[in-house]
Amino acid sequence: QRIQAMRTLVMSAVTTLLLGGAGVSASASVSDMRRAKTKKPRAAYKGDDQTTMSNVLNQHLKRSEKSTLSCEQWSTVDLQEFMAAIAEHREDELQQIYHSVEDRRDLKHTVEDHKSHWAKLNHIVSNHPHLYEPQQESHCREAVMWWTHHLVEEKRGHFRLQGITVPLLPEGPKKPCGRGEGSDEEHVCSYINEKNSCDWCHSTQAEHDAGAEGTTPPDALQKTTGPDDGNPHGWDRLRRCDQDQLPRCQLCEGVGGKVWSDKNEDIDLPPCEIVANASDVDPKTVAPPLYPKAFTVKRKDGKQGGYSDTLIGWKTDPFCFGFFPQNDSIPPLCYRSEDSLVKYYDIEKEATRIDYTIHNEGVFSIFPNITSTILMVQDTMWIQNHLWVVDQCICANPSGNHCETPPCKSYVHHWDTFKTAQYLGREKIAVEWIQNHGTGKSGKMMELDHFILWSHHVWTDPVSRRLVRAWKPFNGLQNYDPEAWVDSVADDSVFEAPPKKCKKGGAPIRINCDDEGHYHPKKSEGIEHLEALFMIAAQKGPEGLQDFVDVLYKSHPAAETPPSSSKRMAKVDFHWPDQQLRSLRIEAFCRSLVGAGKGSHDADGSLQSGFGLYYASIGVALMSLSCMSKLLSRKRLEHGMGAPSRRVVR
């Protein structure tokens, strides 16, 4: 009855506005125009994730509207009627602004076009009832956007006088759409999601090769509404240019670079010069953007830098201890640059591995290096860290169970992920970090072929015919030295899974691992050793680490003693300056232990260090709970103090 009353009020309000005559004409106010020209929401209209953002916006709606109704109380037909009523009264001035700047709020279709499409959706959903709730939620988001951004305030005021009820946004996590029931279902979910899906590239290779639905990227050139997430940070076309937006991306657009914050200007853009458009390049000279089915990337001199990257992902804690690349750029993001000793990949095994050496910087630069091995086989990750003198393993679930009906998992990327990428042409561009180069203008100038696939940009070398550079503005930058590739993995044991260190009796510290080394969210051991390591390092400096080893491995004789503890380290006369407060020691240690820094670079930007790949970040966040509890419990942290003095005694 309430829904029927609401429908009557909507139609009554529309009729009154259409026939009432006086006061119907309205024009955009200054505030209306300001809102239309603002592409990036102000802080008061943001949230850390979809759920928080919806809650925040709903509070604004409840304050401004006399009558609201939660999303689940609306039928899809009622929502369609609500949107049709709004579309009849949308303001042309606002629409012209959206259209002129390619804003995703631009409504490109007529009311009749929308009604026709809604009728098709309703027919399909009636035969696939599991699609009803995803359609309902999608309509609620769309209806709120139309109400807020396509009516001027004066027009909304007229509707309010007639007693109109406004829908609220759905406040839970976005419901998954579809369960592989054919093209009709795919049509509905494509409309609902408008998404750039991780599953296109991170399903199993076998599913992808078999043509399973949702495992291959659709044709972005059939769309014109990108960027799909609305580009909330307002990045320009040098930092972000998606394949599905208008005008279409050109050479030297969307190139990205070494980046360190959400601000558009906080990026070291590489110089880029157009050599030739796609139509002017001999296709025989163009290397396709494909990975070998198996490969090893390692510099011939054994040094770091055969593979380097900047990781970008959603910010989930104040220090960016743990973050993971996600499917949009809506929340605040974290950034971390890093390079590796070696990267392995074998798609037949659905496996990849990257080995890092991390050099401690700042206050703890006198401590030994930290090493990290990131292994993924099938749908599980293992992060094996050597924390100075103690081994640690973290078992991780990279998919996060992002859908359950049907269940889906994340795997390593397909070897032919970019097979259908659009070729833009040839450029001269500076490639970051490879062969001892830096970033931006200090990069290695190369003549490369530029491809684009949705928000991914990829570059290949026509000389070596290798994939050299890849960029996605909210996932990261990846660079490969073309001289470091080998199309094989010499020793399959590098993919041993679960690793020995992750099993019972392996590493003294094991997080989210069962006795067999498999992922288990409720099983961990050895957390107390982190506390002991923290205390000794903070109090005694590097020499104290040997004391920690002596006690630890005496009490755990079954554990394999790490190589670095087999001989005593050089004696260090270590003390903190009197003015260095203990809280600063704790803060610096925590940051060093979990790799909170963004990596160290020479003046020209060449990469020296950084923490491991994003997989490691997940586990390290868990690893550091005891350390973080101390850090966050401090009411006062001092900054700007000197580093500890040190003197090595020969």
Side-chain angles (χ1 to χ4, degrees):
Q1 290 177 344
R2 186 176 182 184
I3 293 293
Q4 184 57 47
M6 178 276 302
R7 176 184 292 181
T8 301
L9 284 173
V10 170
M11 299 314 298
S12 173
V14 172
T15 302
T16 301
L17 281 172
L18 290 174
L19 302 177
V24 174
S25 177
S27 59
S29 66
V30 173
S31 61
D32 291 326
M33 298 295 284
R34 184 187 303 115
R35 183 173 58 252
K37 293 176 181 179
T38 303
K39 296 183 71 172
K40 183 177 179 180
R42 288 174 289 161
Y45 295 86
K46 287 184 175 182
D48 291 336
D49 53 32
Q50 181 78 51
T51 300
T52 306
M53 180 178 66
S54 295
N55 287 330
V56 169
L57 295 178
N58 279 346
Q59 293 305 311
H60 286 288
L61 283 170
K62 290 175 182 177
R63 285 193 292 268
S64 62
E65 307 306 329
K66 294 181 178 180
S67 177
T68 60
L69 204 60
S70 63
C71 180
E72 63 269 17
Q73 293 182 273
W74 290 72
S75 73
T76 54
V77 172
D78 291 330
L79 288 163
Q80 290 163 3
E81 290 180 355
F82 179 89
M83 288 187 284
I86 291 173
E88 294 286 357
H89 295 273
R90 61 186 179 182
E91 175 55 49
D92 287 342
E93 282 186 275
L94 305 183
Q95 186 69 14
Q96 289 169 10
I97 292 173
Y98 302 145
H99 183 74
S100 66
V101 296
E102 304 151 33
D103 194 301
R104 70 176 310 187
R105 291 173 289 182
D106 184 14
L107 297 183
K108 296 179 171 61
H109 304 289
T110 66
V111 178
E112 294 307 314
D113 289 337
H114 282 290
K115 288 180 178 179
S116 176
H117 192 228
W118 291 334
K120 182 177 181 179
L121 292 179
N122 295 345
H123 175 73
I124 295 173
V125 172
S126 68
N127 294 318
H128 299 272
H130 64 282
L131 299 176
Y132 182 83
E133 287 188 354
Q135 182 195 17
Q136 179 189 48
E137 288 193 349
S138 174
H139 278 342
C140 284
R141 293 188 177 96
E142 195 172 16
V144 170
M145 190 276 286
W146 287 20
W147 172 260
T148 305
H149 296 286
H150 286 278
L151 295 181
V152 297
E153 179 57 30
E154 187 176 351
K155 190 76 70 173
R156 284 193 295 270
H158 287 303
F159 274 117
R160 291 177 190 125
L161 290 174
Q162 302 304 316
I164 196 169
T165 296
V166 177
L168 295 173
L169 293 165
E171 294 190 349
K174 186 177 180 181
K175 288 184 171 62
C177 183
R179 54 193 189 196
E181 294 187 357
S183 58
D184 280 351
E185 182 191 71
E186 183 180 1
H187 174 81
V188 174
C189 291
S190 176
Y191 166 80
I192 290 172
N193 291 330
E194 292 282 342
K195 70 179 182 179
N196 181 347
S197 174
C198 296
D199 298 331
W200 296 343
C201 307
H202 291 275
S203 55
T204 65
Q205 188 71 42
E207 290 178 314
H208 170 68
D209 291 344
E213 183 180 353
T215 63
T216 298
D219 184 2
L221 294 177
Q222 297 301 311
K223 291 174 58 60
T224 59
T225 56
D228 288 345
D229 64 359
N231 191 20
H233 301 291
W235 295 328
D236 62 26
R237 288 174 68 95
L238 293 177
R239 181 162 171 172
R240 178 173 188 177
C241 191
D242 289 12
Q243 192 184 16
D244 61 338
Q245 71 182 72
L246 292 176
R248 298 301 190 188
C249 300
Q250 304 298 315
L251 287 166
C252 290
E253 291 187 326
V255 296
K258 177 180 174 284
V259 62
W260 53 92
S261 93
D262 293 342
K263 294 180 181 178
N264 183 63
E265 64 271 19
D266 284 350
I267 183 171
D268 198 0
L269 290 165
C272 185
E273 176 186 339
I274 297 174
V275 175
N277 291 317
S279 59
D280 299 323
V281 178
D282 181 355
K284 294 179 181 179
T285 67
V286 178
L290 302 175
Y291 294 94
K293 293 183 179 180
F295 65 78
T296 302
V297 177
K298 183 178 182 180
R299 281 177 53 153
K300 293 179 174 60
D301 59 9
K303 295 181 179 180
Q304 292 196 149
Y307 166 79
S308 305
D309 62 41
T310 295
L311 169 75
I312 306 172
W314 287 1
K315 186 173 185 177
T316 57
D317 66 81
F319 299 99
C320 288
F321 288 154
F323 63 96
F324 198 90
Q326 297 288 348
N327 213 25
D328 60 56
S329 63
I330 293 173
L333 301 173
C334 288
Y335 302 82
R336 180 182 296 131
S337 295
E338 54 212 358
D339 61 7
S340 74
L341 287 170
V342 61
K343 179 175 181 177
Y344 304 100
Y345 173 93
D346 190 330
I347 194 58
E348 289 187 1
K349 294 179 173 59
E350 293 283 352
T352 188
R353 169 177 163 169
I354 307 177
D355 293 356
Y356 293 96
T357 297
I358 300 95
H359 304 281
N360 297 303
E361 301 296 328
V363 173
F364 281 85
S365 60
I366 60 175
F367 282 76
N369 295 335
I370 294 173
T371 61
S372 185
T373 294
I374 317 303
L375 172 67
M376 181 170 182
V377 179
Q378 297 295 324
D379 60 355
T380 303
M381 291 178 186
W382 294 270
I383 304 98
Q384 302 168 77
N385 298 320
H386 180 60
L387 304 174
W388 296 330
V389 291
V390 62
D391 286 333
Q392 175 213 37
C393 178
I394 305 126
C395 303
N397 171 21
S399 72
N401 293 326
H402 61 279
C403 54
E404 297 178 358
T405 310
C408 51
K409 301 289 185 180
S410 288
Y411 299 82
V412 301
H413 61 80
H414 305 151
W415 72 274
D416 57 350
T417 287
F418 303 115
K419 181 179 180 179
T420 59
Q422 174 193 0
Y423 178 51
L424 296 179
R426 190 162 290 174
E427 303 164 345
K428 286 183 179 178
I429 187 170
V431 181
E432 298 84 354
W433 296 309
I434 66 170
Q435 299 172 11
N436 302 315
H437 283 73
T439 61
K441 295 179 180 179
S442 297
K444 179 179 176 63
M445 290 300 301
M446 299 184 70
E447 193 167 291
L448 302 177
D449 289 309
H450 185 171
F451 297 81
I452 182 174
L453 182 70
W454 290 83
S455 53
H456 288 275
H457 291 255
V458 189
W459 289 260
T460 62
D461 177 16
V463 178
S464 66
R465 303 191 70 79
R466 295 294 190 182
L467 192 153
V468 173
R469 190 176 189 269
W471 165 255
K472 188 175 181 180
F474 45 89
N475 283 178
L477 173 69
Q478 296 179 320
N479 290 330
Y480 298 84
D481 183 342
E483 298 179 4
W485 290 83
V486 176
D487 291 355
S488 63
V489 177
D491 182 2
D492 289 344
S493 68
V494 299
F495 297 129
E496 179 185 1
K500 292 180 181 178
K501 289 183 180 180
C502 303
K503 299 178 181 180
K504 186 74 173 179
I509 304 168
R510 299 186 308 118
I511 296 176
N512 288 355
C513 304
D514 65 15
D515 289 352
E516 298 303 315
H518 298 290
Y519 170 74
H520 194 296
K522 297 182 180 180
K523 290 192 175 182
S524 298
E525 68 175 10
I527 301 297
E528 68 277 7
H529 300 318
L530 290 175
E531 177 75 13
L533 178 64
F534 161 75
M535 292 302 296
I536 289 178
Q539 292 173 358
K540 297 185 178 182
E543 188 177 0
L545 299 180
Q546 187 63 46
D547 297 335
F548 173 83
V549 170
D550 293 342
V551 174
L552 174 66
Y553 288 95
K554 186 178 294 183
S555 61
H556 291 78
E560 179 184 351
T561 304
S564 65
S565 65
S566 61
K567 59 182 180 179
R568 185 169 295 275
M569 286 173 279
K571 185 178 180 181
V572 177
D573 182 8
F574 177 92
H575 69 277
W576 297 90
D578 293 339
Q579 74 273 23
Q580 188 96 23
L581 296 181
R582 179 175 176 79
S583 59
L584 179 59
R585 283 187 271 164
I586 292 173
E587 180 187 32
F589 178 81
C590 286
R591 290 181 178 275
S592 176
L593 180 63
V594 300
K598 298 184 175 70
S600 172
H601 297 78
D602 288 335
D604 64 355
S606 60
L607 183 63
Q608 292 181 330
S609 68
F611 203 78
L613 194 62
Y614 54 90
Y615 313 133
S617 305
I618 302 170
V620 168
L622 297 171
M623 173 197 78
S624 309
L625 289 177
S626 62
C627 182
M628 277 299 295
S629 68
K630 286 186 171 291
L631 173 61
L632 297 179
S633 67
R634 298 285 165 174
K635 296 181 179 179
R636 183 167 178 259
L637 290 176
E638 298 292 329
H639 297 278
M641 299 294 188
S645 61
R646 60 190 179 186
R647 182 172 71 254
V648 177
V649 181
R650 300 297 179 186

